[in-house]
Amino acid sequence: MEEHSASATERREDTGKLQFGCDHYKRRCKIRAPCCNQIFPCRHCHNDAMSSSINPMDRHELVRHDVVHVICSICDTEQEVAKVCSNCGVNMGEYYCEICKFHDDNTDKGQFHCDECGICRVGGRDNFFHCEKCGSCYSVSLQNNHKCVENSMKSFCPVCYEYMFDSIKGSTILRCGHTMHMECYQNMATQNQYRCCICLKTIFDMSQSWEQLDQEIEAGPMPEEYNFEVSILCNDCNTTSRVSFHIFGHKCRQCSSYNTRRISTP
């Protein structure tokens, strides 16, 4: 009898699993936003709707920790935030974080709460570490293997301008230590944009491109009237030097990078 009762409880808790929610999360509840008293499938849906409001005074974002009430998607009962519906007994989210007031039925993401970040992350706790200086969780492959920039994740993606820290998109750390969305990083690569949007340092291995420029410059010398030197600043090593002018590019004498720009000298 006890086994039958336990089985019935499990079936009830799983009712509607992965059948409700939005494009952001599959869950069996909606939230009532305390900031505007409106109901939304999740905070991202709220923020998307409010940020596109015609009236600038209505534009605002929801603070996840402020959510107090949710509405069960199975029985439509409004109640205080909890994992299990107080009326019909279903799990409103297979994964539930009491701190973030967060539900998600799709546990394949490997959700976990990071106390240092103060929010839930995805990807599995064992696969990430929290970098105190950068102020965010990174893949363990980057532990002691990345350039730290203080609170680098608590900024906006330099390409799409979405706030990085709590974005649901994947991110990457550039060689210079700045961060951007992985999708934006890949788009830059396809557009032959090889410099960080913030500090202008090279973010890809450009050695083959620099060698090709060497060959093109050697094969195409400038006419005699253009045989003069110009002053350049290297974006990669921050040194200045004087080099021969060429329309194809100017090579840094210090680090051999072509990621340079002409500067005027006194």
Side-chain angles (χ1 to χ4, degrees):
M1 185 68 176
E2 290 182 359
E3 291 183 3
H4 177 74
S5 177
S7 177
T9 300
E10 289 180 5
R11 287 198 300 270
R12 182 173 65 252
E13 290 180 348
D14 286 342
T15 301
K17 184 176 179 180
L18 296 173
Q19 296 177 16
F20 296 87
C22 59
D23 290 340
H24 302 106
Y25 305 112
K26 291 299 180 184
R27 59 209 299 182
R28 283 161 281 176
C29 66
K30 300 176 183 178
I31 61 172
R32 183 176 290 281
C35 44
C36 54
N37 202 36
Q38 297 186 55
I39 297 174
F40 293 91
C42 75
R43 71 180 183 88
H44 294 292
C45 291
H46 167 278
N47 293 344
D48 289 345
M50 293 299 103
S51 64
S52 60
S53 175
I54 297 177
N55 186 354
M57 299 300 294
D58 290 336
R59 297 171 189 169
H60 64 278
E61 292 194 351
L62 171 64
V63 179
R64 73 187 76 202
H65 304 97
D66 291 348
V67 175
V68 177
H69 292 97
V70 295
I71 298 91
C72 176
S73 298
I74 303 299
C75 67
D76 211 29
T77 299
E78 184 164 350
Q79 59 203 278
E80 291 187 358
V81 180
K83 178 180 175 63
V84 177
C85 176
S86 59
N87 181 56
C88 66
V90 301
N91 275 337
M92 290 186 282
E94 194 67 25
Y95 172 84
Y96 170 66
C97 177
E98 186 174 0
I99 299 174
C100 294
K101 310 297 191 295
F102 174 63
H103 303 77
D104 195 353
D105 269 342
N106 185 6
T107 55
D108 292 341
K109 300 174 184 177
Q111 301 95 326
F112 65 97
H113 182 85
C114 174
D115 291 329
E116 289 84 359
C117 286
I119 61 175
C120 290
R121 298 293 189 189
V122 298
R125 186 182 300 275
D126 294 339
N127 298 320
F128 289 84
F129 77 100
H130 184 86
C131 178
E132 292 292 342
K133 185 172 183 179
C134 293
S136 186
C137 287
Y138 291 141
S139 168
V140 292
S141 63
L142 294 172
Q143 194 164 12
N144 303 318
N145 189 33
H146 72 283
K147 183 176 181 179
C148 288
V149 173
E150 190 169 0
N151 291 324
S152 61
M153 283 290 287
K154 294 180 179 178
S155 60
F156 296 88
C157 174
V159 176
C160 69
Y161 301 107
E162 181 182 339
Y163 191 58
M164 297 283 297
F165 183 68
D166 56 2
S167 172
I168 60 176
K169 299 177 183 177
S171 60
T172 185
I173 308 176
L174 309 181
R175 292 179 172 186
C176 55
H178 292 119
T179 55
M180 69 170 58
H181 288 131
M182 178 61 74
E183 179 182 350
C184 295
Y185 174 82
Q186 292 169 343
N187 286 338
M188 284 186 65
T190 61
Q191 297 296 322
N192 295 319
Q193 300 295 320
Y194 63 88
R195 298 186 297 187
C196 172
C197 304
I198 299 173
C199 66
L200 300 180
K201 293 189 182 300
T202 302
I203 60 177
F204 304 115
D205 180 5
M206 298 296 293
S207 56
Q208 291 186 348
S209 296
W210 297 163
E211 290 176 3
Q212 184 176 350
L213 272 173
D214 283 340
Q215 296 170 7
E216 291 177 352
I217 289 173
E218 185 178 358
M222 296 297 294
E224 185 176 350
E225 60 266 33
Y226 291 101
N227 285 337
F228 56 84
E229 289 189 340
V230 294
S231 296
I232 62 170
L233 170 66
C234 178
N235 293 321
D236 287 332
C237 68
N238 297 320
T239 60
T240 58
S241 55
R242 288 189 63 81
V243 298
S244 297
F245 172 78
H246 202 285
I247 59 172
F248 288 164
H250 302 112
K251 185 176 183 177
C252 174
R253 292 188 183 274
Q254 180 70 24
C255 68
S256 300
S257 170
Y258 277 96
N259 180 17
T260 61
R261 62 181 184 269
R262 288 183 60 178
I263 58 174
S264 58
T265 56

